[in-house]
Amino acid sequence: MGKKNRDSNNHNNKENGKNDNESDYLEDSIGVMGIWQIYVCVVAASTRFIGMGNMSIIVFLTPITDFICIEFEENTNITAEKMVCYNNCVKYEYKSVSMDQTIVTEFDLICEREWMASFAQSVIMFGLVIGVSLFGWISDRFGRRVALLSSTILNIFSMVSSAFSPDYWIYNGLRLIMGIASGGSIIVCVPYVIEICSKKYREIAGALITLPDGLSELSLALFAYYFPTWKSLTLGFSSVSVIILLLVLTLPESPRWLVCNGRTEEAISTIMKAAEWNKLETDHVRDRVNKSVGAIVQKINPDVSVSYFDLFKKRLGTVTWSTIFIWAVVGTNYFGLYQYMTFLGTTVHTTVVMLALLQFPLCVFEVLLTKHFSRKATLIGVLVACGVPMLILIFTPKNHWVTSTLGVIGFSACYIAFGVIYVYHGELYPTCLRSMAYGITSGTNKVGAMASPFIARISPSWIPSSIFASLSFLAAAFCFLLPETKGSNLKDTVD
């Protein structure tokens, strides 16, 4: 009976184009999981702490702020009222429950300048769209380590500089640079971690990659409590980023990237050090790597270099267009629901902390889902789980407890979708295109994030719910165009 089951499983794997017994040179050399993989993955994933912090810090930089005019032109005798704009007002006084000083108070972002507060976030999101594609290309062209280092250094430079901005527009210019750098910090670590981990632990790695996001939000709330001015908050958060930079300096280059780019000796050296960290023998490392290099060389045309155009050729084109749409939908719904969920707390600090803490149990749930179900089934399931609550919201009265519950369910489903996509996406693309694919497809995620506030503000409220629900169901439909990849080795070359 046992032999029959094994034969049946092997037959099913062959039909799916997979072989669970297929050898992987990296896994065979450094083991399934060890101290080296844990250290490298934790340090690489920590770079997301910086990027997500730069995205989330805006809630503390532009909180709801009360204002009142305290000085008029030519000593005009007017009794000023709170939250009222006056054409002849020379000076306003500000008060915020969350922060003592913000960019709203620093640059007078009220009245006719009120739109500039939201524009500061749009700028960094636009930078993210550029950054994920730019650093995706840098990662595939010059190496994962180079991309991680350069994005982290650029992040710290722009963060520290922004705290000393003399005016609003210079501040926004630095926010744009910060967004570009954050795009690299958020996306490059994903293929790096996926390439380091064995297929047995990819589900766990995909979930844990997003943990720095929640830690970053928790840290921001803590820093904002003890550093209640926007300048001290920015500099305080930058100090943590410097520590992360020192850790990133210790990272090696991805062995898979080295092998795929013909730097065999460097790959062998890195793999041997990793095996030593994991207390494994290194006698057969060179033979294993050379054998894999030989197989890769046979598939590669040395006269042709890969580019973004390869993502849209043949069957890979269907995968790319599908993932582009799925990423865009997840970004639109996630960030739209994130804004909607501000009802959970009475202050910004409370809201951010509660949403951050929610992410930790969701990580565990995500691992359980991806361990027990296929990639495709899991992604379809969480997208439907996001769409159904949005559909029910159309018929739910505003400010009702059911509305709150449905919002939590939708937000949770979108968060899980992120972790599933990170793993699934890494398995869909070969090493030579993996970072570029992450860059161009996840860039649409940021476009969705830019559009979500405008969708969320549409009246009446059933229209945004209808849009979010429809997008979720459409994204689930696009998942059927993707191949199943669970249990397969990572591809190194374009088919």
Side-chain angles (χ1 to χ4, degrees), residues 271-289:
I271 292 172
M272 283 187 170
K273 288 178 182 177
E276 290 171 359
W277 269 52
N278 293 340
K279 302 186 185 305
L280 298 174
E281 295 181 359
T282 60
D283 298 343
H284 303 290
V285 168
R286 185 174 294 275
D287 292 337
R288 289 195 192 103
V289 175

Side-chain angles (χ1 to χ4, degrees), residues 303-487:
D303 298 323
V304 178
S305 60
V306 295
S307 68
Y308 278 110
F309 294 107
D310 292 292
L311 295 172
F312 300 94
K313 292 180 180 178
K314 301 178 182 178
R315 287 183 300 174
L316 204 57
T318 302
V319 171
T320 301
W321 284 116
S322 299
T323 52
I324 281 175
F325 184 76
I326 294 168
W327 270 106
V329 170
V330 173
T332 302
N333 287 8
Y334 177 85
F335 289 103
L337 284 170
Y338 189 93
Q339 288 198 341
Y340 171 76
M341 293 300 293
T342 54
F343 67 83
L344 284 175
T346 55
T347 66
V348 174
H349 298 79
T350 306
T351 304
V352 171
V353 169
M354 292 186 70
L355 290 177
L357 289 175
L358 180 64
Q359 297 175 24
F360 294 97
L362 289 177
C363 279
V364 178
F365 189 53
E366 178 196 326
V367 172
L368 294 174
L369 285 175
T370 51
K371 276 289 186 183
H372 289 86
F373 300 97
S374 67
R375 305 283 189 258
K376 187 187 294 188
T378 304
L379 188 54
I380 291 172
V382 293
L383 287 170
V384 170
C386 179
V388 170
M390 295 299 99
L391 196 62
I392 300 174
L393 271 176
I394 298 173
F395 311 100
T396 306
K398 195 174 181 181
N399 298 323
H400 194 275
W401 67 268
V402 175
T403 305
S404 305
T405 304
L406 292 171
V408 171
I409 295 172
F411 174 83
S412 300
C414 286
Y415 177 83
I416 293 173
F418 267 117
V420 177
I421 291 174
Y422 282 140
V423 179
Y424 199 1
H425 201 278
E427 295 171 341
L428 287 169
Y429 293 93
T431 301
C432 56
L433 287 171
R434 192 167 292 123
S435 282
M436 282 193 283
Y438 270 116
I440 196 169
T441 55
S442 67
T444 60
N445 175 272
K446 308 303 179 288
V447 173
M450 293 170 67
S452 60
F454 298 99
I455 296 174
R457 291 192 187 102
I458 298 176
S459 295
S461 59
W462 64 266
I463 296 179
S465 298
S466 302
I467 294 173
F468 290 139
S470 301
L471 289 174
S472 297
F473 294 135
L474 278 173
F478 270 91
C479 290
F480 287 98
L481 299 176
L482 302 177
E484 183 52 56
T485 60
K486 185 175 182 178

Side-chain angles (χ1 to χ4, degrees), residues 107-120:
F107 304 120
D108 294 318
L109 306 184
I110 57 171
C111 301
E112 71 276 3
R113 291 166 61 89
E114 184 179 4
W115 64 273
M116 293 181 175
S118 299
F119 184 71

